Amino acid sequence: MIAETVCSAVSAAGLGIAAVTAYRKRFLSAARIAAYSLVPVGLVMTGVVGWAADTAFSPTAWAGFVVLGGAWLLFMGTRAVERRRGGTRKERRAARDSAQPDAVAPAASAPSLAPAKRPATRQPAPRAQSGDDFSDIEAILKKHGI
């Protein structure tokens, strides 16, 4: 009974604010305020407020919400572990079965008998003179066709 009275008072106050807003020639805002102020009365008329009041004071309903919350936590926890492991059990089994046992080339562990070839060393480019500062930049730009 109290919830219905409070909702009716909130709606009446909202409609009063909408009337004042419309008086100030702000009709779009007034219509929006009126729409928001009619929501509590609509909820009372449909019975949602009565259901919410009955639910709020029911220990069985709160226990149900706790069970639903626990189920949600379990579901999200298993999803997080599944993502961390890389998929479902079937996907991991298929990936493990399809993996080749010889992951490395067979001759990779054998040492090579030929001497290793060293790459040719580059000679450092001579330093540009102080008046020739942009020649390197111009060469790079020409090389790239700019």
Side-chain angles (χ1 to χ4, degrees):
M1 183 77 173
I2 294 174
E4 290 86 0
T5 306
V6 169
C7 288
S8 298
V10 167
S11 292
L15 290 174
I17 293 171
V20 170
T21 306
Y23 179 75
R24 294 182 181 172
K25 308 267 189 228
R26 300 171 102 187
F27 298 110
L28 186 61
S29 295
R32 190 172 296 127
I33 292 169
Y36 281 126
S37 66
L38 290 175
V39 169
V41 170
L43 291 174
V44 167
M45 295 173 97
T46 58
V48 174
V49 173
W51 173 81
D54 291 340
T55 302
F57 298 114
S58 169
T60 307
W62 282 107
F65 283 123
V66 169
V67 169
L68 286 174
W72 182 79
L73 285 174
L74 282 172
F75 179 71
M76 296 310 287
T78 56
R79 292 287 294 166
V81 170
E82 185 176 88
R83 284 185 181 170
R84 183 172 280 191
R85 285 187 180 173
T88 62
R89 181 179 295 172
K90 289 181 182 179
E91 292 171 353
R92 289 192 309 271
R93 184 176 295 149
R96 185 178 56 222
D97 292 342
S98 68
Q100 296 177 357
D102 295 326
V104 183
S109 62
S112 99
L113 301 175
K117 294 183 180 179
R118 292 194 173 194
T121 58
R122 295 176 90 186
Q123 296 293 334
R127 299 289 293 169
Q129 298 294 333
S130 61
D132 211 14
D133 290 336
F134 296 106
S135 64
D136 294 337
I137 297 172
E138 290 175 3
I140 292 171
L141 291 173
K142 284 181 185 178
K143 178 180 173 184
H144 291 288
I146 298 176

